[in-house]
Amino acid sequence: MLSSVRSFTRRAARPLFCQQPKANVRRYTLAVFPKPCLVRPHCEKNRSVPTIFHRWHATSAPAPVYRTLAFYKFHSLPEEDLPAFREELLAQFGAFGAVGRIYISTEGINVQVSCPEPYLDEMQRYCERVIKPKLGGDLMDFNWSTDEPGRRAFRALHVRIRKQLVADGLDPASYDLKNRPSHLPPAAWHEKLETYKAQHGKEPILIDMRNHYESNIGYFDGAIRPDADTFRDSIKAMNEIVKDIPRDQEIFMYCTGGIRCSKAGAILQSASGFDTVHLVEGGITAYGRWIQEQKDKKSLFRGKNFTFDGRLGEPVTEEVFGQCHICGGPCNRYQNCVHSSCNLLMLCCDTCASRFLNTCGRPKCYDVVHDYKQSAQRFYNPDGPVLVNGVRAYIKEKSDRVVIGKQGEKCAEEHNRRIRAVEVLGEPGEILKEWVRLGRTLP
């Protein structure tokens, strides 16, 4: 009857309802049926499962320990080779049990993944043996996150083909990515910035190449932080900042992991004629890891490094610069509103997150999540999402966070990561006044 049965941890493609195995909890076995069938799931009604049905067995296994890492390389790849390369990466990284995002294009590769520790050596060997030769025989070392090994930072593995690794809004013929900027190791970067004023009598030109919401919670001292929503905006701001700067003056720039600065620096050197552009090799992530090991040095980066994964940030110092968009208190914790039709990216403190059920705090979103949580609690299963009246809903692992899917009741407006929280919620604390205006009792 079954075409195959495979262990969850060895399956390359991530299954529906995928969740990380937990200690002392029954683990998944996937039974793959040759065609769609009806099964009896955990809820009271039958529902259709297209190709995958979850069975249980009594064995238990310890939760795998993951390490989060990244690497990238700009190197020309033939467009016709990308589909086959994508399938190979999906199969190989899936076999390692990795989850995360891998982007490939004619410009090269950008990898951000969490991998179980037992497979890290195997992954490194694969990168050396297969990926490195495809990229001209040179590949940066794995850029490890500053977090301790533990839970994974992504839910699933995706490998996508893109036109550009990072979209710049420019004609690719107008610059040369082979004109690489100077990649300074964190120690050299720290020393150059720390001694620049003493040596040159002026502050360095230091540009933050990230988006506004990233620099709101952490930045290098003295950096110019453009009010950018996208990398395209950052490029425009960069060109405006340096337009009157002598071309023989050093320019410094930084970003999360280095890829945006690698491209921006190449643009400044090849298209704008600057002699030297410096970036910190491995970005803030590498600097944060390095500075944590230095007992006699004070970090030049202050606050938290925003990350584009489930963590939404990793602390470098304990300083907090942001404000909770709901209550206005000090906050550097980002979240997306769990009403998926809203999905607003916002700063939200732990207290307000718990109080307002991880929503943006607007009554409409709060009511949707609260009502589903109360009326359909019996359907929520911490082992994975289920459908409730056509709505994808689940409790996230080790929390009571409920996510209501886009097939359910819609938010009053369509929101995404490009819309700023202040445009929707007003200034920090304003949304609480909305509850008062409506005559509502705060949760």
Side-chain angles (χ1 to χ4, degrees):
M1 178 181 176
L2 302 181
S3 59
S4 64
V5 176
R6 284 184 275 182
S7 167
F8 166 78
T9 56
R10 294 294 297 173
R11 183 170 175 81
R14 312 310 295 178
L16 187 66
F17 312 157
C18 162
Q19 287 287 330
Q20 175 178 326
K22 305 175 188 177
N24 302 319
V25 175
R26 295 172 298 179
R27 60 182 299 193
Y28 290 113
T29 292
L30 300 185
V32 183
F33 287 81
K35 60 183 180 180
C37 61
L38 289 175
V39 299
R40 183 174 298 277
H42 298 291
C43 60
E44 297 175 356
K45 297 181 180 180
N46 287 345
R47 57 189 168 94
S48 176
V49 176
T51 56
I52 299 174
F53 171 57
H54 295 264
R55 292 184 182 273
W56 301 96
H57 59 79
T59 61
S60 61
V65 176
Y66 288 83
R67 290 203 68 182
T68 298
L69 61 104
F71 64 90
Y72 68 90
K73 176 66 184 295
F74 284 105
H75 182 80
S76 295
L77 294 174
E79 186 173 2
E80 60 272 18
D81 293 349
L82 296 181
F85 191 26
R86 175 190 179 276
E87 294 303 317
E88 178 185 353
L89 291 170
L90 191 61
Q92 291 295 330
F93 278 80
F96 302 141
V99 290
R101 294 185 293 261
I102 302 176
Y103 301 127
I104 56 174
S105 80
T106 55
E107 292 182 334
I109 189 171
N110 184 22
V111 176
Q112 306 158 49
V113 295
S114 294
C115 180
E117 284 193 323
Y119 292 99
L120 286 172
D121 289 342
E122 191 175 344
M123 179 185 290
Q124 285 184 311
R125 288 192 295 270
Y126 170 75
C127 291
E128 283 289 320
R129 187 181 72 255
V130 177
I131 296 181
K132 186 174 179 178
K134 288 179 181 289
L135 300 172
D138 180 35
L139 189 65
M140 66 181 286
D141 294 334
F142 284 177
N143 192 14
W144 306 102
S145 76
T146 58
D147 289 344
E148 292 295 322
R151 297 177 63 191
R152 61 191 184 185
F154 304 90
R155 284 183 57 81
L157 176 63
H158 299 283
V159 183
R160 296 190 172 105
I161 298 173
R162 284 186 160 183
K163 290 184 178 179
Q164 293 181 298
L165 292 183
V166 279
D168 51 48
L170 303 176
D171 180 359
S174 66
Y175 57 84
D176 182 8
L177 289 175
K178 295 178 182 178
N179 194 336
R180 297 177 72 246
S182 162
H183 287 59
L184 296 176
W189 168 269
H190 182 95
E191 183 179 1
K192 261 190 171 296
L193 288 182
E194 196 172 43
T195 60
Y196 190 90
K197 186 174 182 179
Q199 292 182 359
H200 300 276
K202 57 184 177 181
E203 298 291 346
I205 303 297
L206 175 60
I207 307 174
D208 191 323
M209 293 303 299
R210 303 173 301 156
N211 301 324
H212 69 93
Y213 53 85
E214 300 174 75
S215 61
N216 280 348
I217 60 172
Y219 52 83
F220 275 99
D221 265 333
I224 302 169
R225 296 179 285 151
D227 189 28
D229 286 310
T230 66
F231 184 60
R232 292 182 181 89
D233 296 339
S234 296
I235 292 294
K236 291 177 183 177
M238 174 192 74
N239 287 329
E240 186 65 24
I241 291 166
V242 304
K243 66 179 182 180
D244 297 324
I245 302 296
R247 270 31 187 178
D248 60 353
Q249 181 169 338
E250 294 174 299
I251 304 293
F252 296 81
M253 58 176 56
Y254 66 91
C255 58
T256 305
I259 188 169
R260 285 176 281 186
C261 292
S262 290
K263 174 171 265 196
I267 291 171
L268 279 187
Q269 291 183 169
S270 62
S272 299
F274 278 88
D275 293 340
T276 307
V277 177
H278 298 296
L279 61 90
V280 54
E281 187 172 26
I284 303 167
T285 299
Y287 180 85
R289 192 173 61 253
W290 174 81
I291 199 66
Q292 288 177 357
E293 299 170 352
Q294 312 306 309
K295 305 305 180 185
D296 59 337
K297 291 181 172 59
K298 181 180 178 181
S299 176
L300 301 182
F301 184 89
R302 304 172 62 193
K304 197 173 188 179
N305 178 28
F306 184 92
T307 59
F308 292 90
D309 53 39
R311 299 169 298 161
L312 291 179
E314 51 188 9
V316 178
T317 70
E318 297 302 317
E319 295 168 284
V320 177
F321 300 109
Q323 284 183 284
C324 173
H325 280 110
I326 295 180
C327 71
C331 178
N332 63 2
R333 174 190 176 274
Y334 271 109
Q335 70 171 33
N336 289 94
C337 175
V338 295
H339 183 197
S340 298
S341 294
C342 175
N343 198 44
L344 184 70
L345 181 66
M346 58 181 290
L347 285 167
C348 185
C349 67
D350 289 329
T351 300
C352 288
S354 176
R355 188 179 188 184
F356 291 91
L357 304 180
N358 291 101
T359 67
C360 61
R362 293 184 305 144
K364 178 70 171 179
C365 287
Y366 174 84
D367 289 345
V368 169
V369 175
H370 179 268
D371 290 350
Y372 274 117
K373 188 172 182 180
Q374 293 299 312
S375 64
Q377 184 68 43
R378 68 187 185 280
F379 292 107
Y380 294 152
N381 186 338
D383 297 317
V386 298
L387 295 181
V388 181
N389 298 327
V391 179
R392 183 173 181 267
Y394 57 89
I395 296 178
K396 284 209 167 183
E397 185 180 346
K398 296 185 180 178
S399 78
D400 290 329
R401 184 178 180 188
V402 179
V403 176
I404 304 299
K406 295 185 178 181
Q407 300 302 314
E409 188 171 352
K410 292 293 184 182
C411 191
E413 301 176 61
E414 293 291 334
H415 302 307
N416 56 45
R417 292 173 187 264
R418 296 283 183 250
I419 296 179
R420 303 187 181 200
V422 69
E423 297 174 16
V424 179
L425 305 178
E427 294 298 325
E430 280 296 314
I431 197 61
L432 298 181
K433 298 178 183 178
E434 176 67 16
W435 283 74
V436 174
R437 284 194 294 269
L438 294 173
R440 296 280 301 273
T441 302
L442 291 171

